[in-house]
Amino acid sequence: MKIRKKISLGFVILSIMLAVAGVFSIYELMEVGTSVQNLLDDNYNSINAGKQMIEALEKEDSGLMLLLSGQWKEGRETIRDADRQFQQALQTAGTNLTIPGEPDLVDRIRIRYMDFSRLWDRPIVGTDFEGNLKWYSTDVHSAFKDVKEAVQELIDLNDRVMYETATDLKSGAHRAVMPGIIAFASALVFTFIFNFFLQIYIVRPIITIIDGIQRFLETNKPVRVTIDTRDELQDLATSVSDLMYMARISK
Amino acid sequence: MRPQIILRYVGIVLLFNALFLLISASISAVNSDSGLFPLLYSAVVTAMLGVFPLIFVPPTEHIFNDEGLTIVISGWILSSVIGALPYIMWGGPFTITNAWFESVSGFTTTGSSILANIEALPLGLLFWRSTTHWIGGIGIVVFMLAVVPATGQSAMVLYKSEISSLAADNFQHRTKKTLQILLVVYVGLTVLETIFLMLAGMNGFDALTHSFSTIATGGFSTKNSSIAFFNSPAIESVIIVFMILSGIHFGLIFVAVTDKPIRLWKSSIVRYYLCALAVGILLITFNIYGDIYETVSGALRFAAFQVVSLATSTGFANADSSYWPGFSKLVLIFFTLQCACAGSTSGGIKVDRTLIFWKSFIRQFRKLRHPKAVVSIRLDGAVIDPGIIEAGLLYIALYLIVVFISSLILTGMGVDLMSAFSGSAAAMGNVGPGFGMVSSLSNFSEIPAMGKWVLSIVMLLGRLEIFGLLMLIFYRFIR
């Protein structure tokens, strides 16, 4: 192999290692970016919707207490606002179904909420239900708890998946950094070996040829310069040996 | 010593590793798992580092003995470094220490793992893990020589540097023929076991990876609970048969298959090996029958598997033997130290040396009775050279010293005595599991980081049969 080819190939190898490291790092970083976006889109929105639903449920519960105490206007207003808030949050959660099991949970929330809303949809003030704490503690509170539990399950599911995604993100970041570190370490090793080969297969043969010529000049006897590099330097050494031999004959 | 020649051959070893990394990466690619980029990038880096010396260094006909030894040892160490790259890049439980430990354990066919949840690994990495066993089982350089056609004397020097001195003497062929026999037996056994495991109910991937581990007498499984996961007597039976075969000198298996099967039984080493296994299985069966297993068949099933697994230095498990009585544990520790025959993929002191030890013991008795008698030691009718006997006994002594020192260091780090001693013996014998916190269904994750480095060195010492690594370390002093 020619010297130029050897040295070029050395640099080509180094370039490939660094280029591949760069490509892998970029790919992994893009993956990390996508994961962050998914984390926000899929999980954070659902968790937020879940929190909104729980807040709305608490308000509805307060509205019911107002109705039980005979405050019709304040009670109905509170419940109407809270219902609007709950429906909006439920719609957000319903359009953001990205995790296995999430659709079933949203359906369960919808059904349980319907059961709960049937309880406060009926007239309360001025009926037997007004001031009826027994009805509240047996029917209303258990329905309220059922909805809340279903919403909490939705939050927990998204929390768990968010944790898993975050762990994957950590691994992704690790994978993005590692090719660079390995490429750096490999390039260092490579540089040492490259330097060693240049010394053995380029510098040392040149010194051997120079020594041969020097000896010829000092002793006027042809010297056989032997080099085993199988490239132009070996050809040069053979030519120098022949030249010395011919110079000796011509004298 | 010519460093450039060493770099050339180590480069070929690296290229060989790169090929298997690429195969593992392709499995990850097919499975679309997270192991793809770590494996692919490791393959690229390994290939680049391997191909570079080939550009500059021309091939050579002659390699000196010390160069051969350095190539072999550097090949093992660099393969372990390269083998750790995909683990380090993948992350998870793999710190640098853990990745190095897993890689050394793979290549030396020890089979000890730091992984608490093996099944969480992507398929590509699981395949690479088993592949390290398969490459290391036959010996990295021997594998390379068998596949890559090397010319002239260099193949012989490398082969002699790699293979166990006892095994090398037992092969009666030229280097090229010996390498062919090794490869044919190795690949043949792997293919056969894969087919039988699939017939017994394993899927293709598990069958192939477990065959890699069995034939290399490694012990890495793709399941957290090792072979116990399958809970299948058929699968266990297949693995037992192939573990026993992998513990026999490959040259003898070749002769038995191609010529006369009786030659196998005519070898006193094989006879001793099989009889020792039978005695061990019977002793443990009776010891665990009753208190631990209610039926004799149940006790026999678990005793047979555990004894064969440890006595061949494989390390698979179908039960947690750390709950067995002390007697059974001691019998298993004996097999952990002794292991199987030279010329196989097994580690440990080896049956050949144990037999030489017992015969030397008997000779000493005879000499006490007849002090002036010339008593020679014979194996299969042939007189054994006193040099081989001396080297064998010295090896046993050194082996036990290394196990003792390693146990001492581990106990100094706070590891309990049973775990430290059995872990060290298992690492030195390339067996895998020990007892206590490193038992057959447990792992080495609780061992301190420094302890893992110590055990890695012990694994390499055991795989290179002590002298190789020591000669390289103390090269200048010995010279």
Side-chain angles (χ1 to χ4, degrees):
Chain A
M1 201 183 282
K2 305 278 181 199
I3 296 173
R4 201 176 71 176
K5 205 171 175 182
K6 283 181 184 175
I7 294 173
S8 304
L9 275 173
F11 283 115
V12 165
I13 287 172
L14 191 61
S15 310
I16 289 174
M17 275 201 299
L18 295 174
V20 174
V23 168
F24 281 170
S25 292
I26 290 166
Y27 176 82
E28 288 290 352
L29 280 173
M30 281 167 70
E31 283 285 296
V32 168
T34 313
S35 299
V36 171
Q37 196 58 47
N38 290 344
L39 195 79
L40 291 172
D41 291 348
D42 303 342
N43 304 116
Y44 183 72
N45 284 345
S46 292
I47 291 169
N48 207 29
K51 284 180 180 168
Q52 291 283 327
M53 282 189 258
I54 285 180
E55 195 185 316
L57 281 171
E58 303 277 1
K59 281 183 190 166
E60 281 171 358
D61 191 47
S62 305
L64 257 164
M65 294 300 283
L66 287 170
L67 290 177
L68 280 174
S69 62
Q71 299 176 58
W72 182 85
K73 197 180 170 214
E74 291 88 341
R76 283 293 164 197
E77 266 178 19
T78 308
I79 289 177
R80 196 174 47 244
D81 290 348
D83 182 46
R84 202 178 301 129
Q85 185 183 356
F86 189 91
Q87 295 293 355
Q88 272 178 0
L90 186 62
Q91 198 183 353
T92 308
T95 52
N96 199 24
L97 304 171
T98 51
I99 307 167
E102 211 175 9
D104 290 343
L105 271 175
V106 172
D107 279 347
R108 200 183 305 162
I109 293 169
R110 195 169 283 127
I111 292 163
R112 289 185 182 180
Y113 185 70
M114 273 164 69
D115 291 343
F116 177 60
S117 60
R118 254 184 237 120
L119 294 170
W120 48 253
D121 245 0
R122 68 183 68 174
I124 293 169
V125 178
T127 67
D128 289 347
F129 297 116
E130 189 180 334
N132 191 343
L133 287 175
K134 196 180 172 204
W135 171 71
Y136 175 81
S137 61
T138 51
D139 294 6
V140 179
H141 190 65
S142 62
F144 166 76
K145 245 174 57 184
D146 286 347
V147 192
K148 203 175 167 184
E149 269 172 18
V151 174
Q152 193 57 51
E153 270 184 63
L154 180 74
I155 293 173
D156 289 346
L157 177 72
N158 278 279
D159 262 342
R160 200 174 63 243
V161 173
M162 193 156 88
Y163 177 78
E164 283 165 10
T165 315
T167 310
D168 286 347
L169 268 175
K170 193 183 159 197
S171 303
H174 177 88
R175 278 197 284 276
V177 172
M178 285 319 287
I181 294 173
I182 291 170
F184 175 71
S186 308
L188 268 182
V189 174
F190 187 86
T191 309
F192 278 120
I193 298 173
F194 201 5
N195 184 42
F196 172 73
F197 283 152
L198 289 179
Q199 187 69 30
I200 294 282
Y201 291 104
I202 310 285
V203 179
R204 199 181 283 176
I206 292 171
I207 293 170
T208 309
I209 293 168
I210 294 168
D211 284 349
I213 295 168
Q214 283 291 345
R215 249 184 296 150
F216 174 70
L217 290 174
E218 284 163 14
T219 60
N220 205 22
K221 285 179 186 166
V223 179
R224 177 62 49 192
V225 183
T226 327
I227 292 168
D228 183 28
T229 53
R230 300 181 197 184
D231 54 21
E232 293 96 327
L233 285 171
Q234 192 171 348
D235 297 341
L236 178 67
T238 313
S239 304
V240 167
S241 298
D242 293 344
L243 191 68
M244 284 189 278
Y245 184 70
M246 286 176 72
R248 175 77 178 139
I249 289 172
S250 64
K251 278 188 181 179
Chain B
M1 201 153 21
R2 296 164 296 172
Q4 63 272 29
I5 300 296
I6 294 162
L7 283 171
R8 181 184 166 83
Y9 280 92
V10 170
I12 299 173
V13 172
L14 291 185
L15 278 178
F16 199 65
N17 280 313
L19 176 71
F20 282 98
L21 277 165
L22 209 58
I23 295 169
S24 307
S26 62
I27 286 174
S28 267
V30 170
N31 194 46
S32 309
D33 62 42
S34 57
L36 174 63
F37 287 111
L39 286 162
L40 196 60
Y41 185 60
S42 304
V44 171
V45 169
T46 310
M48 293 296 117
L49 285 173
V51 83
F52 184 51
L54 302 184
I55 295 168
F56 276 90
V57 189
T60 180
E61 277 287 315
H62 185 75
I63 293 176
F64 298 111
N65 285 333
D66 53 352
E67 287 172 347
L69 192 69
T70 313
I71 289 166
V72 168
I73 293 165
S74 310
W76 279 95
I77 293 170
L78 277 175
S79 293
S80 300
V81 172
I82 290 300
L85 287 184
Y87 301 138
I88 294 172
M89 283 185 69
W90 189 73
F94 291 114
T95 58
I96 289 177
T97 301
N98 285 348
W100 164 255
F101 183 88
E102 198 78 5
S103 178
V104 173
S105 175
F107 278 109
T108 56
T109 72
T110 307
S112 304
S113 181
I114 53 86
L115 291 169
N117 186 9
I118 297 164
E119 286 158 42
L121 248 61
L123 285 191
L125 270 188
L126 282 175
F127 186 80
W128 171 242
R129 222 168 139 254
S130 301
T131 305
T132 55
H133 270 343
W134 204 58
I135 301 171
I138 198 172
I140 296 168
V141 174
V142 166
F143 209 155
M144 176 197 90
L145 290 174
V147 178
V148 182
T151 51
Q153 220 185 345
S154 49
M156 194 182 76
V157 174
L158 286 172
Y159 162 75
K160 289 229 168 198
S161 306
E162 167 78 291
I163 206 156
S164 163
S165 56
L166 282 171
D169 288 336
N170 288 342
F171 276 113
Q172 301 298 321
H173 305 280
R174 292 171 65 86
T175 308
K176 200 179 168 190
K177 175 82 175 163
T178 305
L179 288 169
Q180 282 172 350
I181 290 172
L182 278 171
L183 195 67
V184 165
V185 174
Y186 199 61
V187 175
L189 285 175
T190 309
V191 172
L192 273 178
E193 194 193 345
T194 307
I195 294 167
F196 279 115
L197 284 177
M198 284 173 77
L199 289 175
M202 262 193 195
N203 66 43
F205 181 80
D206 284 339
L208 185 64
T209 48
H210 282 91
S211 297
F212 279 179
S213 292
T214 313
I215 306 306
T217 63
F220 277 159
S221 173
T222 52
K223 306 293 174 197
N224 291 332
S225 47
S226 192
I227 303 301
F229 170 87
F230 300 99
N231 191 24
S232 159
I235 286 173
E236 287 163 24
S237 306
V238 170
I239 292 176
I240 285 176
V241 170
F242 281 91
M243 282 194 291
I244 292 174
L245 285 173
S246 305
I248 296 173
H249 194 288
F250 280 12
L252 278 174
I253 295 178
F254 185 77
V255 172
V257 173
T258 56
D259 190 15
K260 295 171 185 166
I262 196 72
R263 286 276 296 273
L264 213 57
W265 187 250
K266 277 189 175 172
S267 161
S268 55
I269 292 165
V270 175
R271 278 204 308 275
Y272 171 84
Y273 165 63
L274 296 176
C275 290
L277 283 179
V279 171
I281 291 167
L282 283 176
L283 286 174
I284 293 182
T285 301
F286 287 117
N287 189 233
I288 59 175
Y289 166 61
D291 286 344
I292 298 174
Y293 299 103
E294 289 172 358
T295 60
V296 177
S297 59
L300 181 68
R301 174 187 165 188
F302 294 108
F305 192 90
Q306 293 295 110
V307 167
V308 173
S309 177
L310 296 193
T312 54
S313 80
T314 308
F316 280 143
N318 69 343
D320 193 352
S321 50
S322 60
Y323 296 106
W324 290 4
F327 175 79
S328 295
K329 282 184 192 170
L330 281 176
V331 174
L332 288 175
I333 286 177
F334 167 76
F335 283 112
T336 298
L337 291 169
Q338 178 187 266
C339 296
C341 310
S344 68
T345 53
S346 168
I349 289 172
K350 293 196 171 73
V351 164
D352 312 50
R353 291 194 184 94
T354 316
L355 205 57
I356 288 172
F357 171 79
W358 290 123
K359 284 186 181 262
S360 305
F361 189 67
I362 293 164
R363 181 184 66 167
Q364 199 57 31
F365 264 115
R366 283 188 185 153
K367 288 204 76 149
L368 282 172
R369 211 171 152 194
H370 309 287
K372 289 185 180 171
V374 177
V375 187
S376 55
I377 294 178
R378 289 170 180 271
L379 255 181
D380 299 330
V383 175
I384 303 176
D385 185 74
I388 294 177
I389 298 167
E390 192 187 333
L393 296 178
L394 181 65
Y395 182 82
I396 294 172
L398 266 174
Y399 189 98
L400 296 175
I401 288 170
V402 173
V403 172
F404 176 75
I405 292 172
S406 169
S407 308
L408 201 68
I409 295 171
L410 288 178
T411 47
M413 290 172 186
V415 179
D416 67 277
L417 182 62
M418 188 52 147
S419 306
F421 176 70
S422 62
S424 299
M428 188 66 187
N430 303 134
V431 176
F435 296 100
M437 61 197 271
V438 294
S439 68
S440 47
L441 291 181
S442 189
N443 57 71
F444 282 68
S445 57
E446 296 301 313
I447 298 284
M450 255 335 266
K452 286 175 192 161
W453 284 96
V454 170
L455 288 174
S456 313
I457 294 167
V458 172
M459 286 180 216
L460 283 168
L461 273 171
R463 190 64 184 80
L464 296 167
E465 298 212 330
I466 307 174
F467 293 111
L469 197 58
L470 290 183
M471 263 185 76
L472 189 75
I473 295 167
F474 300 111
Y475 176 72
R476 290 186 183 278
F477 302 102
I478 291 167
R479 192 167 54 169

